Amino acid sequence: MASLPWAISSGDRFDLSRAKALLDEDHKGLHQVKRRLLEFLAVQKLRGDMKGPILCLHGPPGIGKTSLGRSVARALGRKFHRIALGGVKDEAEIRGHRRTYIGSMPGTIIQAMQALGTNNPVILLDEVDKMTQNSMFNPQAALLEVLDPEQNGTFKDHYLNTPFDLSRVLFICTANDASLIDRPLLDRMEVIELSGYTLEEKVAITESHLLPKQRRLHALEPEKPHEEVVAEGQSEPAPQATETQEPRLVLTQEAVNTLITKWTAESGVRSLERRLAQICRWATLRLQ
């Protein structure tokens, strides 16, 4: 209990222009999600004590729902933690085990708070719709106490048996099929629909993210230098002149358009990334 962040918070950054720039840098498109997050930042900047909303990103696989949560934490300056809920069937995974059982331990929520060391992180509850439920187990009902703003201020883990305040946590849920979520739990969420990417957005994602990533993984492009963290009050170091190397594989605009329209048919970009990895492997073999 002494290791939990009862009164330790991380400072929020309410620079809306910086947050918008970070969201645009990490994700192309998704304008509705970005606007909703900027609205939350604006209200939080004026009010200061607003309880964190529960956003549910609903859409097909591969459109960046999970990575969007990491970008939100980066824009806010908060710590980030992802909890995978796919296949969870026991409510003890959420609320913890009672200490009368052998091998008991706290639930995933309290473990995340202990690992992060702050009481206001961004916690991503991934694949809420894939939690297993039957006549004996219903872990989605255990999430009601976690996500309900009227209850999570006194969340009680069975292992601790002491109320812990979760009202300052920003919870973000992801789901592929909202019809599989219990209605009482769905009512606590603000569902944001993500339909997918257009052709222009996929081209921009390929050129700025996917292709450079695959080229670095297949030794077709030098690795990026690690950015140094600058503490408050210190001046940023002067940029050092480095010799830029051209990548060994370049795709033309026509080739990228053909790859997207004729070789991938999906809302997200996972299949597109696999095709780019296949091209990079072919290019690496040809260079030997």
Side-chain angles (χ1 to χ4, degrees):
M1 294 181 65
S3 61
L4 287 174
W6 299 93
I8 302 176
S9 304
S10 58
D12 289 333
R13 298 176 180 175
F14 296 123
D15 189 349
L16 298 183
S17 59
R18 175 183 177 275
K20 185 178 185 302
L22 288 176
L23 292 174
D24 291 337
E25 177 185 350
D26 293 341
H27 293 83
K28 303 296 181 182
L30 305 180
H31 302 293
Q32 181 183 4
V33 184
K34 295 176 183 177
R35 184 175 64 251
R36 177 62 188 91
L37 296 173
L38 292 175
E39 290 172 356
F40 164 73
L41 283 177
V43 176
Q44 184 75 3
K45 182 178 181 180
L46 294 179
R47 185 176 176 87
D49 59 348
M50 176 184 174
K51 294 184 178 180
I54 297 92
L55 305 178
C56 180
L57 307 180
H58 175 248
I63 59 175
K65 298 187 298 295
T66 303
S67 60
L68 188 62
R70 188 174 289 104
S71 300
V72 172
R74 181 184 171 203
L76 283 173
R78 296 187 181 186
K79 293 186 177 181
F80 174 79
H81 188 81
R82 172 181 172 268
I83 298 177
L85 297 177
V88 173
K89 66 176 182 179
D90 190 358
E91 67 173 13
E93 296 287 339
I94 308 297
R95 287 180 175 161
H97 302 79
R98 300 188 185 275
R99 278 179 282 185
T100 55
Y101 294 100
I102 298 176
S104 60
M105 63 179 62
T108 54
I109 302 296
I110 294 298
Q111 290 183 30
M113 303 300 293
Q114 182 181 13
L116 294 173
T118 60
N119 60 7
N120 62 340
V122 176
I123 295 183
L124 181 76
L125 303 177
D126 206 4
E127 299 179 341
V128 177
D129 57 326
K130 295 180 177 59
M131 301 177 71
T132 305
Q133 54 181 324
N134 50 40
S135 58
M136 296 181 61
F137 302 102
N138 187 10
Q140 290 190 11
L143 282 178
L144 290 177
E145 186 181 2
V146 176
L147 298 180
D148 192 350
E150 302 298 328
Q151 303 181 43
N152 60 8
T154 57
F155 172 73
K156 183 177 288 187
D157 188 271
H158 288 165
Y159 185 83
L160 295 179
N161 201 26
T162 302
F164 188 85
D165 187 7
L166 296 177
S167 60
R168 303 192 62 187
V169 179
L170 174 57
F171 288 102
I172 299 177
C173 304
T174 67
N176 299 131
D177 189 358
S179 63
L180 300 178
I181 304 177
D182 284 350
R183 188 67 190 181
L185 178 60
L186 191 62
D187 289 340
R188 268 86 173 171
M189 300 177 179
E190 179 181 347
V191 180
I192 300 178
E193 297 289 342
L194 304 178
S195 58
Y197 295 112
T198 62
L199 174 61
E200 292 76 12
E201 292 172 349
K202 285 186 177 182
V203 171
I205 293 172
T206 301
E207 294 177 348
S208 60
H209 295 285
L210 299 182
L211 185 56
K213 174 185 175 182
Q214 292 300 325
R215 283 193 301 222
R216 289 192 294 267
L217 288 176
H218 295 83
L220 297 174
E221 181 178 328
E223 293 286 342
K224 282 185 177 181
H226 295 286
E227 297 181 357
E228 296 183 358
V229 179
V230 180
E232 295 185 1
Q234 296 181 358
S235 59
E236 296 186 0
Q240 299 179 356
T242 56
E243 183 180 355
T244 58
Q245 299 181 7
E246 294 294 331
R248 299 183 179 181
L249 173 65
V250 177
L251 294 183
T252 62
Q253 184 79 22
E254 183 181 359
V256 174
N257 290 335
T258 303
L259 182 64
I260 294 173
T261 55
K262 296 186 178 181
W263 292 90
T264 61
E266 58 175 355
S267 301
V269 293
R270 287 181 180 171
S271 178
L272 175 59
E273 187 172 9
R274 287 193 294 267
R275 292 296 184 181
L276 290 172
Q278 182 179 356
I279 294 174
C280 290
R281 291 194 299 269
W282 171 83
T284 305
L285 181 61
R286 291 290 301 269
L287 291 174
Q288 301 303 317

